[in-house]
Amino acid sequence: MKIIRQIGIIFAVCWLSILVEKILPVAFPASVIGMILLFICLFTGALKIEHIQEKADFLLENMAFFFVPAGVSIINYFDVLKSTWIQLVIICVISTIVTFAVTAWSVRLTIRLIERRKKSE
């Protein structure tokens, strides 16, 4: 029963996010709304991590399977991608460098904040 309850909670959050998406006057992805709703529920204590831990771990461990259909569907647009491959490579390289830089900056900032907190204690 625990597994069914966890799946039910995750599906309920997904369903609520779809409802919120339809109510909003602007276009906003339901998946992002769902993550925000889940964060709010966990942050406020309305939902405990134990309520969804096992199913969330299962979904994270098998996340690669969710990208297979998207990767395979790229083949359908090979003609479009073939004509713009240089731009795509440039975008991938630049976005990778920016991601690395922002991640490094975030880690350094987090370390500084942790060190300040330790010094003030």
Side-chain angles (χ1 to χ4, degrees), residues 8-9 37 54 60 93 105-106:
I9 291 170
L37 287 174
E54 290 177 39
L60 286 172
V93 169
W105 179 80
S106 300

Side-chain angles (χ1 to χ4, degrees), residues 73-75 77-88:
S73 69
I74 288 176
I75 294 171
Y77 300 99
F78 187 71
D79 294 336
V80 175
L81 297 175
K82 189 169 74 172
S83 65
T84 60
W85 73 272
I86 294 174
Q87 294 94 331
L88 290 172

Side-chain angles (χ1 to χ4, degrees), residues 53-79:
Q53 183 73 45
E54 290 177 39
K55 284 298 118 195
D57 288 342
F58 172 79
L59 291 171
L60 286 172
E61 288 170 2
N62 297 294
M63 191 184 326
F65 292 114
F66 299 116
F67 290 101
V68 170
V72 171
S73 69
I74 288 176
I75 294 171
N76 293 334
Y77 300 99
F78 187 71
D79 294 336

Side-chain angles (χ1 to χ4, degrees), residues 34-120:
M35 286 188 287
I36 292 169
L37 287 174
L38 189 59
F39 172 76
I40 291 170
C41 289
L42 290 168
F43 186 75
T44 61
L47 188 62
K48 303 278 189 248
I49 192 71
E50 297 83 29
H51 294 147
I52 58 169
Q53 183 73 45
E54 290 177 39
K55 284 298 118 195
D57 288 342
F58 172 79
L59 291 171
L60 286 172
E61 288 170 2
N62 297 294
M63 191 184 326
F65 292 114
F66 299 116
F67 290 101
V68 170
V72 171
S73 69
I74 288 176
I75 294 171
N76 293 334
Y77 300 99
F78 187 71
D79 294 336
V80 175
L81 297 175
K82 189 169 74 172
S83 65
T84 60
W85 73 272
I86 294 174
Q87 294 94 331
L88 290 172
V89 169
I90 291 170
I91 290 169
C92 288
V93 169
I94 291 172
S95 63
T96 300
I97 292 169
V98 169
T99 301
F100 285 167
V102 170
T103 302
W105 179 80
S106 300
V107 169
R108 294 175 102 194
L109 177 65
T110 303
I111 291 170
R112 282 189 211 140
L113 292 174
I114 290 171
E115 288 174 355
R116 282 185 194 167
R117 178 180 270 177
K118 284 181 182 178
K119 287 179 184 179
S120 66

